[in-house]
Amino acid sequence: MNIWKKTLRNAAVAATVAATLLGVSACGLGGDAASSSSSADSDTVNIGVIYPKTGQYAEYGKLFQQGFDLAVEKVNKDGGVKGKKLGLKYYDTQSDAKQDAAVAPKLVSDKSIIAVVGDYTSPASSAASPIFQQAGLVHYGFNNSAPTFTETGDHVWTPQIGQDIYQKANADIVAKKAKKISVVYIENDWGKQAYQYFKEEAEKNGTQIAYESSYLPDSTDLSPILIPARDAKPDAVVNIGYGPDGALVVNTLRDKLGYTGPFFGGQETSEFLDNAGKNAEGTIITGSFSATGTKDEKAQQFVKDFNAKYGNNPGNFEVTAYQAIIDLAYAANKTEPTREGIQKALQTVTDFPLYQGNGGTFKFNTQTRRADNIDPILLIVKDGKFVQYDGE
């Protein structure tokens, strides 16, 4: 918790400096409107998007944009928001905290924007949150799993499952498969916090962590930390990180170090599957959605629509992005398509349509500003694809 409180304090300082120095110029960072949305068009309301179109997290930005664009098409096909067209205004931040803080004033100054979604990483999102909070603009961090993300203020919300819940599920499935493990995790605020949650649950389960080590996000050779991980003779190796580094971990273990045991890690992206190849087979992760396993009718329709538009099944990142836009459009239609209307709806609406988990509907806990009934699921790689796993 101390890590994230420090992060939030630093984010607030960065945001204050950005707001003071930049005003509405946002250092020249520009956005390109998806669809025909324009701040001068009174018949259109917009949602601002901060996301990594370029940079090291560009793979996630691509997945997010697919979900966002499909959602806007559905909303407008169904009548828009209170008779107005819904648009998106995209801002490429590379999911970098400095860029998020710099671009936030520009979104605040655009009165056509009724809410903001993004960013990919929680530290980047948290750098922008204080500016949105001060302006009374809802910041909907749909991908931000840091449990402390919403502590900035009452206009900061997320339907994302917290890492405390994800890592409990992760540690519990690991405990079913292994008594002794080696763990490696990404060296950033998110990774350190996620590992602490995992470690606490592992200790409760009686799982022995024989070896642990962090690694830098831009590492290219992980042999020095993975050799002792292998030599600890674990029943399984656990990686807590993102997709690209997860692929590097498992490839190093399999191809260079001869490790053949169970592996838990990576992410549900084509980038991870492509980079890891055959080494990904049998990998188990926690997630929130399975295109082939969902039994919810609206989620099944989403899968069909996604396939028709993009030619492949959606995964966790696409569905959370899609749901974020559907959530905010639903909020606007329940109240009014204004900044005040979005905030009121998130505080009062109890039947937001839920596409993740078991489907149905969800509502927010107004104290934590997190969804109160979205549960994680398990996914396993079989024949080069992630499918839902029953845990047995």
Side-chain angles (χ1 to χ4, degrees), residues 239-311:
N239 166 236
I240 298 174
Y242 304 142
D245 50 281
L248 179 61
V249 170
V250 72
N251 286 341
T252 303
L253 286 169
R254 305 288 195 215
D255 296 338
K256 292 185 178 181
L257 305 182
Y259 174 75
T260 59
F263 177 76
F264 297 80
Q267 285 183 320
E268 193 205 13
T269 65
S270 58
E271 183 178 31
F272 170 73
L273 293 173
D274 291 344
N275 289 347
K278 67 181 187 304
N279 291 331
E281 198 69 14
T283 293
I284 298 173
I285 63 171
T286 54
S288 63
F289 180 75
S290 170
T292 57
T294 183
K295 295 179 174 57
D296 183 79
E297 288 186 10
K298 64 182 177 301
Q300 290 174 342
Q301 185 61 53
F302 160 66
V303 173
K304 291 178 183 178
D305 293 343
F306 193 95
N307 255 295
K309 185 173 178 66
Y310 300 113

Side-chain angles (χ1 to χ4, degrees), residues 183-184 211-216 219-232 248-249 252-253 256-257:
V183 186
V184 293
Y211 173 83
E212 64 180 45
S213 177
S214 64
Y215 56 86
L216 296 176
S219 297
T220 57
D221 181 8
L222 295 179
S223 298
I225 68 165
L226 291 177
I227 289 173
R230 177 202 62 187
D231 292 349
L248 179 61
V249 170
T252 303
L253 286 169
K256 292 185 178 181
L257 305 182

Side-chain angles (χ1 to χ4, degrees), residues 95-336:
S95 204
D96 174 81
K98 292 180 181 177
Q99 294 194 47
D100 276 61
V103 80
K106 190 165 187 176
L107 281 84
V108 166
S109 70
D110 185 342
K111 299 307 179 185
S112 78
I113 292 177
I114 60 174
V116 176
V117 296
D119 208 324
Y120 168 62
T121 71
S122 294
S125 295
S126 294
S129 291
I131 296 174
F132 299 138
Q133 173 67 28
Q134 186 175 15
L137 177 61
V138 164
H139 186 190
Y140 204 66
F142 69 95
N143 192 61
N144 299 136
S145 59
T148 48
F149 169 70
T150 60
E151 289 183 2
T152 298
D154 65 347
H155 280 68
V156 183
W157 303 76
T158 179
Q160 178 60 264
I161 300 169
Q163 276 304 314
D164 50 344
I165 298 173
Y166 267 132
Q167 293 305 329
K168 181 181 185 304
N170 191 18
D172 289 348
I173 186 59
V174 168
K176 288 185 177 182
K177 304 292 183 180
K179 295 183 181 296
K180 177 182 176 183
I181 61 175
S182 291
V183 186
V184 293
Y185 59 94
I186 194 166
E187 177 70 29
N188 61 19
D189 289 336
W190 176 89
K192 288 183 282 189
Q193 187 185 48
Y195 176 53
Q196 285 305 310
Y197 285 121
F198 176 89
K199 188 174 184 178
E200 289 170 8
E201 185 67 15
E203 290 175 349
K204 290 179 183 177
N205 292 337
T207 305
Q208 178 190 356
I209 299 177
Y211 173 83
E212 64 180 45
S213 177
S214 64
Y215 56 86
L216 296 176
D218 58 355
S219 297
T220 57
D221 181 8
L222 295 179
S223 298
I225 68 165
L226 291 177
I227 289 173
R230 177 202 62 187
D231 292 349
K233 301 188 183 306
D235 300 324
V237 173
V238 178
N239 166 236
I240 298 174
Y242 304 142
D245 50 281
L248 179 61
V249 170
V250 72
N251 286 341
T252 303
L253 286 169
R254 305 288 195 215
D255 296 338
K256 292 185 178 181
L257 305 182
Y259 174 75
T260 59
F263 177 76
F264 297 80
Q267 285 183 320
E268 193 205 13
T269 65
S270 58
E271 183 178 31
F272 170 73
L273 293 173
D274 291 344
N275 289 347
K278 67 181 187 304
N279 291 331
E281 198 69 14
T283 293
I284 298 173
I285 63 171
T286 54
S288 63
F289 180 75
S290 170
T292 57
T294 183
K295 295 179 174 57
D296 183 79
E297 288 186 10
K298 64 182 177 301
Q300 290 174 342
Q301 185 61 53
F302 160 66
V303 173
K304 291 178 183 178
D305 293 343
F306 193 95
N307 255 295
K309 185 173 178 66
Y310 300 113
N312 59 273
N313 278 342
N316 286 258
F317 295 103
E318 297 95 315
V319 73
T320 52
Y322 179 88
Q323 181 168 311
I325 303 303
I326 298 296
D327 290 348
L328 295 173
Y330 192 74
N333 277 317
K334 281 287 189 176
T335 53
E336 59 183 10

